[in-house]
Amino acid sequence: AWDRPTYAHIPLIHGPDGAKLSKRHGALGIEAYREMGYLPAGLRNYLVRLGWSHGDDELFSDAEAIAWFDLGGLNKAPARLDLEKLAHVNAHHLRSLTTGQLTDLLFAEISRSGSNPDEWPDLCDQIARLAPNLQERSKTTPELLENTKFLMQKRPLIIAPKMQKHLSEETRTLIKDLMEEFSRLREWDRDPLDDALAAFCSERDLKVGKIAPALRAALTGGLPAPSIADVLYGLGRDEALARLTDQAA
């Protein structure tokens, strides 16, 4: 005869208002969470934490969850679904991806969006250069894709209407002069690029803010992007200078 098993259940999951989770809370199937941009590891981490705890640990891997799980950690009170907390947990797992995993994830997202990553032959190298920055600025895969879009633009870039005002005759001339400084750099990296921009502005008694919006418009078209030095570095010497050339006076 078998021994009688010990029965247990985890607490119910309630909506943010404390009521039982239902369609009016937007209760969704697992496919919907994937479409919303949550990684499997991030969703598993968050779900395990609903109704169970291991001290103050909030972020953990599958292996840690398996090793730590015991019935003594179950809570009696119902858990509440918190999408902001889920995004926080997901961001941690997004930052934990290797550059290769991040690239594969982005290429899959680009393909799902209806585009072909092969249209941009330098994209893999560009993502590799900007991987930590992209991961730091993104909580979900749609955000990650949005933060990468400035790399996937065909020349000449379409400048967003709100950014066109920054490309005056004066700033276009400044861009042309600055390009000459950038062209002379032996090392195309964040610090040398940042130093070259600062020196250029200092020599002309300009504040960086005078030219930064025009540079951002010329390099990204107005799409979400990191700092100017990161944009230049991420695009690479040839693509960055080519985009600046398109807008230079």
Side-chain angles (χ1 to χ4, degrees), residues 1-243:
W2 292 348
D3 294 333
R4 180 184 293 273
T6 299
Y7 294 94
H9 69 84
I10 62 173
L12 295 174
I13 300 175
H14 285 186
D17 58 359
K20 290 183 179 180
L21 198 62
S22 64
K23 289 182 179 179
R24 69 184 179 85
H25 292 109
L28 305 168
I30 195 67
E31 298 86 355
Y33 287 96
R34 181 174 59 190
E35 292 297 319
M36 291 162 67
Y38 299 112
L39 301 179
L43 190 57
R44 288 194 297 269
N45 182 167
Y46 181 71
L47 288 176
V48 169
R49 190 64 179 77
L50 286 179
W52 174 83
S53 63
H54 183 266
D56 295 327
D57 294 299
E58 294 283 351
L59 307 169
F60 38 79
S61 65
D62 292 344
E64 288 171 327
I66 292 170
W68 293 343
F69 188 83
D70 64 75
L71 296 180
L74 291 178
N75 301 318
K76 294 182 179 180
R80 294 195 183 192
L81 183 66
D82 185 339
L83 292 181
E84 287 188 14
K85 187 62 172 290
L86 172 56
H88 168 73
V89 172
N90 196 68
H92 165 78
H93 288 275
L94 196 59
R95 290 192 295 269
S96 299
L97 297 177
T98 65
T99 299
Q101 290 171 329
L102 180 72
T103 302
D104 289 344
L105 178 65
L106 266 170
F107 275 36
E109 285 296 306
I110 293 168
S111 298
R112 269 197 290 271
S113 71
S115 298
N116 182 356
D118 294 338
E119 292 182 39
W120 302 279
D122 296 328
L123 186 57
C124 190
D125 291 336
Q126 291 170 333
I127 291 172
R129 287 193 289 268
L130 289 178
N133 188 289
L134 293 170
Q135 289 168 292
E136 190 63 33
R137 297 168 55 237
S138 309
K139 292 182 179 180
T140 62
T141 49
E143 284 185 11
L144 183 64
L145 180 59
E146 187 66 22
N147 288 327
T148 310
K149 281 184 178 178
F150 79 94
L151 298 171
M152 301 179 289
Q153 301 302 304
K154 299 294 185 181
R155 296 180 44 229
L157 271 62
I158 298 174
I159 309 299
K162 66 179 181 180
M163 299 297 292
Q164 291 175 0
K165 63 183 179 182
H166 299 297
L167 289 168
S168 64
E169 184 177 346
E170 179 185 6
T171 57
R172 288 179 189 273
T173 299
L174 288 172
I175 288 175
K176 181 179 179 180
D177 294 341
L178 180 57
M179 281 174 52
E180 296 177 6
E181 300 293 330
F182 286 155
S183 298
R184 287 194 283 268
L185 290 176
R186 292 185 178 181
E187 184 182 9
W188 194 267
D189 208 339
R190 292 180 180 87
D191 290 342
L193 288 162
D194 213 14
D195 292 343
L197 176 58
F200 176 86
C201 291
S202 178
E203 289 170 4
R204 288 160 178 75
D205 197 24
L206 292 172
K207 291 184 178 180
V208 175
K210 175 71 175 180
I211 191 174
L215 287 172
R216 188 169 293 279
L219 293 166
T220 73
L223 291 171
S227 69
I228 297 297
D230 277 312
V231 170
L232 289 163
Y233 170 65
L235 288 170
R237 182 189 296 268
D238 292 344
E239 179 66 16
L241 292 177
R243 292 189 183 192

